[in-house]
Amino acid sequence: MSFSRSSKLVMMSRNSEDAELVLAHLIHPVTVKEMVRRWLEEDTPSFDYGGFVVGEREQSAVLLCKSAGVLAGVPFFNAIFEELSCTVDWQVPEGTPLEPVSEPITVAIVTGKVRHLLLGERVALNCITRASGIATQARRMSDIAQGTDWHGEVAGTRKTTPGFRLVEKYALLVGGISTHRYDLSSMIMLKDNHIWSAGNIIQAVKDAKRVGGFCTKIEVECRSVEEALEAAGAGADVVMLDNFEPQALHPAARVIKDKFPHILVESSGGIREDTLYKYMGPHVDVISLSITTQGYQTVDFSFKIQKQGKNPHNPRVQTAL
């Protein structure tokens, strides 16, 4: 596996000095604190029986990566252990492609009271394995797009896990693709159910513009060129050509762009990683895929207390006796 793109965005500041924009700065500290408190409360709703056994000695644990992938989810991992008064020392930066060969890679060292380390262990692992899995798949898709002369963006969708959306959307950014709209309030998307219920595309867009105003984009899901032209004419900013096969998508997108050059054309529905390139074309601006947050393979991490004489790599047992 090879990756080419960093998770850190770099741009020139106004005074011409290099300024590094770190994705973790997108995360509101209060929001993430409230999230991790809910996660920790869910995992230990009453007595911490295991914590009673181990006590409060100060110890360290290693976070080990055991399968190939892109590291993601660092702000959430940090917040979990900060809530438990532990410190995390990262050995590699977020966005790093990890490729363990003969043995696991030490990614971070976490220090604190041993019962606190174990209170956070599974919650933190659940978070980072999933975030890294999403980022890994996103990075592959980003690399596919960057390997062409296509000008558009690959994006996720709103098909996320309830209560876990912030982590999943963040992981897409670490992987190098767009998040699409974050929620129902981020952009007005009028899908078939909206159109059918409102009566027609023109009426639906008109009503949406009345409440969305000048600052909220409107996207309309379309199943034909005629619907797309109607949506564009009504004032939509984005038209989604839904479930178009590549041979139908590109001629349709050309017709729309010829008449409405300013409009964004999105392709969505049934697109896979191995078919992604077929949907890239000069008249397609966005390709969105639900598999970015629904069809990924998690990255394997483990969390082991450091103990002299004990192997944290946890080798497989070869014999019974």
Side-chain angles (χ1 to χ4, degrees), residues 19-84:
E20 195 170 46
L21 303 182
V22 182
L23 290 175
H25 295 169
L26 287 167
I27 307 299
H28 195 298
V30 173
T31 300
V32 73
K33 183 181 287 287
E34 292 174 349
M35 284 178 60
V36 302
R37 282 180 175 174
R38 289 196 300 269
W39 294 343
L40 290 167
E41 288 169 357
E42 178 195 48
D43 202 43
T44 313
S46 57
F47 292 126
D48 176 21
Y49 297 106
F52 171 78
V53 172
V54 300
E56 291 199 332
R57 296 185 308 279
E58 183 95 352
Q59 290 195 324
S60 294
V62 288
L63 175 67
L64 301 171
C65 180
K66 299 161 68 177
S67 66
V70 173
L71 176 63
V74 165
F76 307 97
F77 191 97
N78 285 343
I80 290 165
F81 284 107
E82 285 171 7
E83 185 65 23
L84 296 166

Side-chain angles (χ1 to χ4, degrees), residues 177-248:
I177 68 175
S178 298
T179 62
H180 211 292
R181 61 175 178 160
Y182 185 81
D183 51 35
L184 287 174
S185 302
S186 301
M187 180 174 69
I188 303 172
M189 182 181 289
L190 302 173
K191 299 173 77 69
D192 50 12
N193 286 326
H194 298 96
I195 304 300
W196 298 340
S197 299
N200 56 66
I201 289 174
I202 293 175
Q203 186 63 51
V205 173
K206 178 182 177 182
D207 292 342
K209 289 178 73 70
R210 183 166 66 88
V211 293
F214 70 92
C215 62
T216 308
K217 284 188 176 183
I218 298 174
E219 178 168 3
V220 179
E221 180 184 87
C222 303
R223 292 283 291 161
S224 68
V225 173
E226 292 73 25
E227 287 183 354
L229 293 175
E230 185 178 357
D237 303 285
V238 187
V239 293
M240 176 199 289
L241 299 180
D242 183 48
N243 280 312
F244 275 57
E245 292 293 340
Q247 65 270 20

Side-chain angles (χ1 to χ4, degrees), residues 66-306:
K66 299 161 68 177
S67 66
V70 173
L71 176 63
V74 165
F76 307 97
F77 191 97
N78 285 343
I80 290 165
F81 284 107
E82 285 171 7
E83 185 65 23
L84 296 166
S85 301
C86 300
T87 60
V88 183
D89 180 18
W90 291 96
Q91 307 299 295
V92 293
E94 185 167 53
T96 299
L98 304 170
E99 300 188 40
V101 181
S102 58
E103 61 182 33
I105 297 172
T106 299
V107 177
I109 301 172
V110 188
T111 303
K113 294 178 179 179
V114 63
R115 73 179 182 91
H116 289 184
L117 294 174
L118 298 179
L119 277 172
E121 173 189 6
R122 179 45 56 191
V123 176
L125 285 174
N126 286 345
C127 182
I128 204 164
T129 58
R130 287 162 173 77
S132 298
I134 291 171
T136 301
Q137 182 167 260
R139 184 69 59 84
R140 291 198 302 267
M141 294 181 184
S142 174
D143 287 347
I144 291 170
Q146 291 198 31
T148 71
D149 58 0
W150 182 54
H151 68 276
E153 296 187 36
V154 180
T157 71
R158 202 167 57 86
K159 294 180 180 178
T160 54
T161 308
F164 202 61
R165 180 179 304 178
L166 183 63
V167 180
E168 293 171 335
K169 291 288 192 178
Y170 177 82
L172 294 177
L173 292 174
V174 174
I177 68 175
S178 298
T179 62
H180 211 292
R181 61 175 178 160
Y182 185 81
D183 51 35
L184 287 174
S185 302
S186 301
M187 180 174 69
I188 303 172
M189 182 181 289
L190 302 173
K191 299 173 77 69
D192 50 12
N193 286 326
H194 298 96
I195 304 300
W196 298 340
S197 299
N200 56 66
I201 289 174
I202 293 175
Q203 186 63 51
V205 173
K206 178 182 177 182
D207 292 342
K209 289 178 73 70
R210 183 166 66 88
V211 293
F214 70 92
C215 62
T216 308
K217 284 188 176 183
I218 298 174
E219 178 168 3
V220 179
E221 180 184 87
C222 303
R223 292 283 291 161
S224 68
V225 173
E226 292 73 25
E227 287 183 354
L229 293 175
E230 185 178 357
D237 303 285
V238 187
V239 293
M240 176 199 289
L241 299 180
D242 183 48
N243 280 312
F244 275 57
E245 292 293 340
Q247 65 270 20
L249 168 68
H250 298 298
R254 184 181 64 249
V255 170
I256 297 163
K257 284 287 195 177
D258 284 346
K259 191 161 185 179
F260 297 95
H262 68 282
I263 204 153
L264 293 177
V265 175
E266 176 180 340
S267 175
S268 188
I271 303 170
R272 306 186 308 272
E273 183 179 330
D274 62 329
T275 62
L276 177 61
Y277 71 96
K278 296 181 179 180
Y279 294 84
M280 298 174 182
H283 308 293
V284 176
D285 301 291
V286 181
I287 300 174
S288 58
L289 307 86
S290 61
I291 62 169
T292 53
T293 50
Q294 287 189 325
Y296 63 93
Q297 181 175 350
T298 59
V299 178
D300 189 11
F301 289 90
S302 67
F303 186 89
K304 296 295 181 183
I305 300 293
Q306 292 182 302

